[in-house]
Amino acid sequence: MTEPTRWLPEPDDSNRPFFDGARAGVLKLQRCDDCGGWMFPVRRRCQHCGSTALQWANASGRGTVYAHGQLQREYHVRHRGALPVIMAQVDLAEGVRMNTNLVGVSPADVHVGMVVSVDFEHSESGEAIAVFRPAGTPS
Amino acid sequence: MLAAEGTGEDAMTHPMNGAAAICGLGITAMGRVYRDAEDLAAEAVYLALEDAGLPKSELDGLLINAGVTNGVSIPLHITLGLRELNVLTFMQGYGSSAGQMIQYAAMAVANGLANYICCVFADDPLKEGVRTGDAYAGGARRNAMSGLYPVYGFMGALPMYALGARRHMDLYGTTQDQLGAVAIGQRRWAAMNPRATKREPLDLAGYHASPWVVEPFHILDCCLVSNGGVAVIVTTPERARDLRQPAVYVRGFAQAHQHDAGLAGTDALVHTPAAKAGPRALAMAGVSRNDVTQCQIYDCYTYTVIATLEDYGFCAKGEGGPFVADGKLAPGGALPTNTGGGELSSFYMWGMTPITEAVIQGRGHGGERQQSNDVILVSGNGGVLNYHSTLVLSPHAA
């Protein structure tokens, strides 16, 4: 029996809340205690006000598609047999732009401005990553 | 006459308009040249000196920019045996660097910091036995968070440009054929450029048959990957006129930079900093967009050309697809663009690709591809439409 291939390096202290959240089905992002601004990926200092008082908080998981395209070449074990992968930048309600993938939608039906909500995809080795699907569709 | 010379003849002339000129150009062999970047950079400098007819002892400034392999830096001056210099630094603004180097060199020579400054770029991403596409896909050490990029397919800059192109298509109805028109037109130019890597004819069927990478990009929407080196020597107009080659004057320049910083709400994949830098550079040169006789546009992807021409104001935002579709940029078209074949078909030396062709055209050395060269608009672009430099070059003094 071979171990299933990991998708990602092991999380570390800087990003573990994000991945723990994903495994529990919650999108966690950093929020600034001082100004309330959100950011992604991991920052040590608030991009908005410069504060270092950043905490992980639950995000809404709601957003709209800013841009999208279709990956047609395998660059990662997760892409095997999965092409085309729908790549997207999603603008979250919290004001953060996330690079991600869209699921549960045919490439031809994706469009700029599409309203999406977060979902989570699990690897055989127990990791979870955030993906997005059209709002209101079941996972 | 130059306002900088204190003639007072034209009080409206910008003091930097024509205050510097390009007097030397060195281009090494391009493509699968398996030599390291520093050696390619050194050869480019010697080629530029020879081209200019300038003894090495006269060179007193060196600006250095490394490509994706980061293979050349300050020690280049030691390799070159340049023991005393008045200007020396390493610069990095990604694809905007080459244009930036010309700008800083122009300001330096115009203000007496140095007499002859060589701006040099070299890169060696191609290794024997390694697939071309892998050269730029990136093999960075990753943690779990940055490891998400390959998991989602975001390898290098290519996917982001593809997403930008697709957004442009969604918003404005830009078509795949219109992207293809850029690649096809530039291939026609490349056929007339002995230095171009890809010179075989390309038609729309051939473009569509090219494999997808990230839709809407076929491989033929993407620039080449090249090993090579380019050097450009900048001096004062008076010194340039005493040298071997026709002077190409630096008439105007500007930079503008932007990034969404990972935050929502901007439209940085469609609206580029060219919109700010272009008008500023033309104003410095004392010309209008209608005076531009040819463009050398940074073309890492077909879409970059469309977005940049829109932002320079040659057509309205969103109309770039129809604007290029009629062959306007190709041989015989009304706005000759990337007349050496560009990064798509000639060679990819970051921002030096458009500059090399601008200098060749500015000297009138374009041979069968020579176009009217009165006002040459040159763009540099780095990151994902983040970092921008514009140059206005001309064979005519200010």
Side-chain angles (χ1 to χ4, degrees), chain B residues 304-322:
Chain B
T304 314
V305 177
I306 290 173
T308 305
L309 290 174
E310 288 175 344
D311 288 332
Y312 277 160
F314 288 101
C315 62
K317 179 53 70 182
E319 293 176 5

Side-chain angles (χ1 to χ4, degrees), chain A residues 7-12 15 18-19 38 40-43 47-48 56 66-73 75-76 78-79 85 87-89 91 95-97 99-101 110-112 129-131, chain B residues 131 133-134 137 142-155 158-160 162-164 166-167 170-171 211-216 219 260-270:
Chain A
W7 286 352
L8 294 162
E10 285 283 356
D12 57 39
N15 53 43
F18 178 84
F19 292 99
W38 296 79
F40 179 82
V42 175
R43 308 284 171 189
Q47 287 179 283
H48 308 276
W56 289 92
Y66 167 68
H68 64 97
Q70 296 174 49
L71 180 69
Q72 296 282 14
R73 287 193 163 190
Y75 284 109
H76 187 272
R78 176 170 167 265
H79 308 152
V85 171
M87 305 174 65
Q89 285 198 304
D91 281 359
V96 168
R97 179 167 287 167
N99 288 9
T100 186
N101 291 156
V110 179
H111 56 88
V112 163
I129 61 166
V131 294
Chain B
R131 240 176 28 159
D134 294 340
R142 298 183 188 276
N143 61 27
M145 191 56 79
S146 61
L148 285 170
Y149 287 99
V151 169
Y152 291 131
F154 287 90
M155 301 296 286
L158 188 157
M160 291 304 306
L163 265 61
R166 183 59 210 244
R167 178 174 168 85
D170 276 19
L171 293 180
W212 293 116
V213 188
V214 176
E215 272 192 64
I219 284 178
D260 69 13
L263 304 174
T266 61
D267 196 3
L269 289 181
V270 169

Side-chain angles (χ1 to χ4, degrees), chain B residues 350-373:
Chain B
W350 286 18
M352 280 299 189
T353 300
I355 290 171
T356 54
E357 180 64 12
V359 174
I360 291 166
Q361 291 278 332
R363 290 173 172 180
H365 293 174
E368 61 173 326
R369 70 180 192 277
Q370 180 65 42
Q371 298 295 303
S372 171
N373 62 4

Side-chain angles (χ1 to χ4, degrees), chain B residues 36-371:
Chain B
D36 69 54
E38 205 208 40
D39 188 50
L40 290 161
E43 183 189 352
V45 172
Y46 282 112
L47 289 170
L49 288 166
E50 171 67 22
D51 173 76
L54 187 71
K56 190 176 79 172
S57 56
E58 292 290 312
L59 193 64
D60 63 345
L62 190 62
L63 300 180
I64 302 159
N65 170 224
V68 69
T69 66
N70 214 25
V72 56
S73 190
I74 296 295
L76 176 65
H77 85 96
I78 301 167
T79 300
L80 291 167
L82 293 168
R83 292 186 289 183
E84 294 185 26
L85 291 167
N86 294 316
V87 166
L88 171 66
T89 198
F90 176 85
M91 304 187 60
Q92 192 54 277
Y94 305 115
S96 72
S97 312
Q100 289 196 35
M101 289 195 293
I102 304 292
Q103 299 181 13
Y104 294 121
M107 290 187 279
V109 298
N111 288 285
L113 274 75
N115 293 335
Y116 303 94
I117 300 180
C118 190
C119 307
V120 58
F121 169 89
D123 206 5
D124 58 351
L126 294 173
K127 313 292 183 195
E128 279 186 282
V130 177
R131 240 176 28 159
T132 301
D134 294 340
Y136 265 80
R141 281 174 61 89
R142 298 183 188 276
N143 61 27
M145 191 56 79
S146 61
L148 285 170
Y149 287 99
V151 169
Y152 291 131
F154 287 90
M155 301 296 286
L158 188 157
M160 291 304 306
Y161 280 93
L163 265 61
R166 183 59 210 244
R167 178 174 168 85
H168 199 274
M169 296 163 100
D170 276 19
L171 293 180
Y172 307 117
T174 311
T175 68
Q176 197 77 50
D177 283 2
Q178 291 163 352
L179 295 180
V182 174
I184 291 162
Q186 290 191 200
R187 185 63 64 84
R188 289 181 56 207
W189 286 118
M192 293 184 271
N193 181 5
R195 289 186 183 278
T197 302
K198 293 200 167 189
R199 303 181 65 191
E200 66 277 14
L202 175 68
D203 60 12
L204 209 47
Y207 166 78
H208 284 293
S210 166
W212 293 116
V213 188
V214 176
E215 272 192 64
F217 283 170
H218 295 284
I219 284 178
L220 291 179
D221 286 290
C222 309
C223 66
L224 301 161
V225 177
S226 309
N227 291 1
V230 175
V232 177
I233 302 175
V234 176
T235 188
T236 58
E238 298 76 14
R239 289 186 177 89
R241 286 192 280 268
D242 288 339
L243 291 170
R244 181 177 289 162
Q245 302 290 348
V248 176
Y249 296 92
V250 180
R251 297 288 307 272
F253 54 82
Q255 300 174 30
H257 311 287
Q258 68 178 23
H259 200 290
D260 69 13
L263 304 174
T266 61
D267 196 3
L269 289 181
V270 169
H271 296 270
T272 84
K276 289 179 180 169
R280 290 176 194 157
L282 290 166
M284 183 187 285
V287 298
S288 80
R289 191 177 57 246
N290 293 333
D291 297 321
V292 173
T293 52
Q294 61 169 269
C295 292
Q296 306 298 341
I297 302 295
Y298 195 101
D299 56 322
C300 47
Y301 303 96
T302 50
Y303 170 63
T304 314
V305 177
I306 290 173
T308 305
L309 290 174
E310 288 175 344
D311 288 332
Y312 277 160
F314 288 101
C315 62
K317 179 53 70 182
E319 293 176 5
F323 183 77
V324 304
D326 67 356
K328 195 177 278 92
L329 313 185
L335 187 65
T337 295
N338 296 347
T339 52
E343 297 167 344
L344 295 173
S345 283
S346 68
F347 52 81
Y348 184 48
M349 286 284 105
W350 286 18
M352 280 299 189
T353 300
I355 290 171
T356 54
E357 180 64 12
V359 174
I360 291 166
Q361 291 278 332
R363 290 173 172 180
H365 293 174
E368 61 173 326
R369 70 180 192 277
Q370 180 65 42
Q371 298 295 303

